[in-house]
Every structure is written in C-alpha cells, then in structure tokens.
Amino acid sequence: MKLLVVGGGGREHAIIRCLKKNPAVEVIYALPGNGGIAADAVCVPIGATDIDKIAAFAVENKIDYAVVAPDDPLVLGCVDALEAKGIPCFGPRANAAIIEGSKVFSKNLMKKYGIPTARYEVFDDMDAALSYLDTAPIPTVIKADGLALGKGVIIANTREEAKTAVRDMMQGHIFGKSGDHIVIEEFLTGPEVSVLSFTDGKVVKPMVSSMDHKRAGDGDTGLNTGGMGTVAPNPYYTQEVAKQCMEEIFLPTIAAMNAEGRTFKGCLYFGLMITPDGPKVIEYNCRFGDPETQVVLPLLESDLLTIMRSCTNGTLADTEVKFSHRHACCVITASQGYPVSYKKGFPITMTEEAAAHTYVAGAKLEDGRLLTSGGRVTGTTAVADSLEEAIREAYRISHGVQFENAYRRSDIGARALAARKDK
Ligand code: AMP
Ligand code: GLY
C-alpha cells in the first residue's frame, strides 16, 4: 500500500513509525515531513495547507490511504478534498473538524447536549465583553474563537488583565480573525488529562491517557508552549474517571456530532480537567495531540493502519484497539529561548540508540546534515515497566541527542510520580 501523511512534526514522525510496522505498507509520503522524518518516509515539499496540491499529488501517485494529522488542513477541508478524488482518509471532514476550529461551536455544542464544561458567555461585541468583565468572577479565561497556533487562551488573574486580553483580541486582532468572536469562561481547577480516541462516528475507543507539560520551565513555570514532554498513562485518569468520561463526555460528544449532521471520524482528542465536580471538557481537538502522540503510540499493541482504516470504513466496533499496560515518557529537546525567540541552523547529532527512540519535530536536511529548524526539535520516548524507569530512560536516552543551545525541562513526569504517591 502507498500511504500519504500530511504534516511535518514529531506527531507525524510517531504516526509514520507506527504505520510502518504493517508489512503491507510499501511507501509513505510525508507532505512536507521534515529532515528527520526523511529517515522513515519520502518527504515531498508540499505544505500541509496546500490542499489542491496535496489532492493532486495523491491522485498522481495512486495513494491508497491518506492520514491528515494537523488541525489547519483538517479545518480547511483537506479530507473533503482527498475524498472528492476518491482517496480514503483518516481524519474528520471540515464540517466535523469545526469542533476544534471554533470554540464558540464546541462550547455551544456542549451546552446544547449537556456535556460537562466550564460555564461561559460568547461575545462578538467588545463593549459588551468589557462590561461583562466588570462583574465576572476572577480569575477568568478568555479564548479566541478560531485556531490561534495554540496561543488563543489567556488566563486572567485580574479584571484589568482580562480587559487587556479582550482588547488585544477584538481590537488589536493579535490572533487575526480568530479574535472576532471570543468566549469568556469560568476558571476551573484540577489536574489535566489528555485522552486521544479513535472513532468511526459510531463507537469510540479511547487510547491510553496521557499528561502533557505545557509550560516552558521546570515546576510548570514560564510561558505556555506546544508541550515540553508527556507521560502515559496519566495517574489521575482512574478507572472510575474513565467510566464517567465515557458515559458523560465521549459517547455524548459522538452522538451530539451525529445529531448535528457532522459525524466525526478520526482521532478526537479530549482535553479534560478533573475538577472537584467531576471531569469537564477544557477543549476538543480534531486530531492527534502533540507531544501526546509521541508517548501514546509507542504503547499501542494493535496495528495502527488497521485501526485507522476501520475508522474510515465504520468497522471500529469489530477492530482490536489494544494498549500495553507499560509506561511511557517523552522528553522534548527544544531550542533555548523557545517559545519566544531562538536561533536555528545548529547541527544535530544523535547516537544510534537515541535515533531509534527519537521523533524529529523541527529539523531540516542540508547537504546531508541534520540542522535545527524549529522551537521544539526532537521528542525522545522510552517505554518501561514502571513510570520511574520510563522517565529515567527517556532522560538518559535524550542526552544522546545533541545540538548547540539545546534545552529540556528536567522534571517531565515528576507531577505524575507525586500524584501516584499521594494515593
Ligand atoms: P488550550 O490552548 O485550549 O489547550 O488551553 C491552554 C491551557 O489553558 C489548558 O491546557 C488549561 O491549562 C488552561 N485552561 C483552558 N481553559 C481553562 C479553564 N476554563 N480553566 C482553567 N484553565 C483553563
Ligand atoms: N498537546 C496539546 C495539543 O496537541 O494541542
């Protein structure tokens, strides 16, 4: 089979490595991929949002199956475009990807169908938003409606901060059109859990839970990033919580999307907060999370391609989705200064052991040399029988990835370890 994967980060590298385990796979094209993915796939310089070119490439190269991984091509209708050319795809159509593409849509969906989430108000008028903030409970959370490169959420600890965020979004257009509509919502507390799930629009099969580490600095300090590391499973996601999530969140969400005529097929990501009142949805993503995928897929024991195709064909109920009971930890190695400003173009070296455990996110090939080209450069994952050992091994192996100005958090997994000891 000839496969195509749209995207070019660590998540896509993890997906490609996992797909390659199926012996029926002859070739995988990555559009655009990156310098590190080139070791596992044929990288083609077509951008992930260049939808017409992606569809034309798929036809010309007689692609049997395509996986669209990032949010923006999904929201822009990449799956619709490929399907129109007769190419079967993993991923939601645009009318379902809106569950991530519009926070106003997803909040209204949850309210309409009684899915637990933070209380909220929607505004498209700045003055109305500002006067609401005169009496809103503080802290409060301001969210731009549309995609904003993961930066469209501001947690305001004072009224002034909240008003500044509203002005920045609605008047300063710091997130472009994404800020024309905003959501102002209740600040929730509790541990966060990421649950990625497979769905064919009929049944939902959750993957092993995970914990992201979004802040740049140790002890969860510093700016929000795309994620500095992950562990799986997440100790806060007990069997009891999992059962509650299935009944109150996962199945109702699939049913709600069907009732709206927006059947969701693909990977639906539930960003959850385990609040004192039970699990609530913080956000939906219409795709695999990154770096969650880099810690979840190494624990998958069933065949990824078979599962993905069953999501497309509507046969997920009859398809095995089995995860190992072991533990995994992924440590991101980033460019010093990420997420603000950082230098690029440093040569990367990896030991053989590191290369085998490392997914590449931000690197390009130049004259046969691998050079840093992004903020998050690599993700190194280890799987072990205990969480302690997975963390120790991920760190040990990650030191085999070297480049100038490399930066890692030193405490990935520490919170998960502490949570387990609390119990
Ligand atoms: P997002 O960009 O949607 O992933 O949100 C970024 C982060 O903001 C989340 O991972 C949470 O830590 C935090 N967050 C979002 N919504 C809320 C909320 N209602 N209450 C508390 N924290 C929130
Ligand atoms: N790690 C969070 C995300 O992929 O959005």
Side-chain angles (χ1 to χ4, degrees):
M1 282 186 76
K2 293 182 176 169
L3 308 187
L4 181 160
V5 173
V6 176
R11 162 184 57 205
E12 287 75 9
H13 201 178
I15 290 172
I16 287 167
R17 283 240 178 110
C18 203
L19 288 170
K20 271 181 76 174
K21 291 187 198 162
N22 183 314
V25 174
E26 300 155 51
V27 59
I28 305 182
Y29 295 100
L31 278 59
N34 68 44
I37 290 177
D40 290 288
V42 179
C43 295
V44 181
I46 294 178
T49 53
D50 218 336
I51 288 173
D52 293 340
K53 284 193 187 153
I54 294 170
F57 177 90
V59 172
E60 263 165 48
N61 292 277
K62 302 192 167 52
I63 296 299
D64 297 299
Y65 192 69
V67 177
V68 182
D71 47 1
D72 29 2
L74 288 166
V75 170
L76 291 170
C78 192
V79 167
D80 310 56
L82 286 162
E83 282 181 351
K85 303 277 185 201
I87 315 268
C89 286
F90 182 81
R93 294 180 184 157
N95 76 342
I98 191 174
I99 198 166
E100 173 169 5
S102 166
K103 294 210 193 293
V104 173
F105 171 85
S106 64
K107 294 299 292 190
N108 289 343
L109 184 86
M110 289 186 268
K111 184 189 263 179
K112 182 169 171 188
Y113 293 92
I115 297 165
T117 188
R119 281 194 290 272
Y120 72 101
E121 298 288 336
V122 174
F123 295 95
D124 47 23
D125 175 73
M126 190 173 77
D127 292 331
L130 292 174
S131 63
Y132 170 78
L133 285 172
D134 282 333
T135 53
I138 297 293
T140 189
V141 184
I142 324 277
K143 299 186 171 183
D145 176 42
L147 296 180
L149 298 169
K151 295 185 186 132
V153 175
I154 309 254
I155 301 194
N157 290 308
T158 65
R159 269 178 224 293
E160 246 350 278
E161 257 176 70
K163 289 185 177 181
T164 303
V166 166
R167 286 193 194 98
D168 286 350
M169 287 184 196
M170 301 192 87
Q171 200 171 45
H173 301 289
I174 55 167
F175 302 122
K177 282 207 153 310
S178 286
D180 286 355
H181 310 277
I182 62 165
V183 172
I184 301 184
E185 73 175 30
E186 175 196 12
F187 176 75
L188 298 176
T189 55
E192 288 183 55
V193 179
S194 305
V195 179
L196 284 57
S197 69
F198 292 108
T199 176
D200 61 356
K202 296 187 269 189
V203 298
V204 55
K205 295 199 174 178
M207 301 181 218
V208 61
S209 62
S210 56
M211 182 190 285
D212 195 1
H213 297 68
K214 284 190 203 250
R215 300 295 200 94
D218 282 356
D220 297 322
T221 56
L223 291 173
N224 254 323
T225 70
M228 293 301 295
T230 36
V231 292
N234 185 322
Y236 290 105
Y237 195 69
T238 59
Q239 277 187 4
E240 190 192 346
V241 172
K243 184 166 178 286
Q244 205 177 350
C245 287
M246 180 57 88
E247 287 165 6
E248 296 174 11
I249 296 174
F250 305 164
L251 291 171
T253 301
I254 300 301
M257 290 298 277
N258 283 332
E260 294 292 311
R262 296 175 181 273
T263 296
F264 189 103
K265 293 182 178 194
C267 173
L268 184 53
Y269 166 129
F270 299 91
L272 306 168
M273 195 172 266
I274 315 302
T275 76
D277 299 329
K280 295 192 180 177
V281 177
I282 289 283
E283 62 164 346
Y284 292 114
N285 290 329
C286 64
R287 52 170 174 91
F288 283 96
D290 196 0
E292 286 90 341
T293 305
Q294 301 183 52
V295 83
V296 165
L297 288 186
L299 293 170
L300 179 64
E301 289 181 340
S302 316
D303 178 55
L304 179 61
L305 180 59
T306 306
I307 298 170
M308 285 182 157
R309 293 175 80 198
S310 79
C311 291
T312 310
N313 300 335
T315 53
L316 181 61
D318 307 322
T319 304
E320 180 194 69
V321 177
K322 191 163 167 249
F323 281 85
S324 147
H325 293 295
R326 301 179 80 201
H327 296 259
C329 174
C330 170
V331 175
I332 299 294
T333 307
S335 303
Q336 185 79 49
Y338 171 72
V340 184
S341 66
Y342 45 86
K343 290 191 189 144
K344 300 187 254 189
F346 296 114
I348 306 169
T349 59
M350 278 191 234
T351 60
E352 209 172 302
E353 183 188 38
H357 285 80
T358 297
Y359 305 116
V360 177
K364 60 177 181 183
L365 271 177
E366 226 173 71
D367 302 326
R369 284 194 317 167
L370 197 58
L371 306 178
T372 64
S373 70
R376 288 189 297 175
V377 178
T378 55
T380 301
T381 300
V383 173
D385 289 333
S386 69
L387 178 60
E388 286 88 341
E389 200 188 334
I391 295 168
R392 203 166 45 240
E393 279 293 284
Y395 271 104
R396 183 186 65 72
I397 300 169
S398 75
H399 287 107
V401 177
Q402 294 201 333
F403 54 89
E404 219 173 292
N405 278 16
Y407 167 73
R408 298 177 189 94
R409 267 182 67 163
S410 69
D411 64 345
I412 301 303
R415 206 154 24 93
L417 276 180
R420 262 184 5 178
K421 283 172 190 143
D422 288 347
K423 283 185 187 156

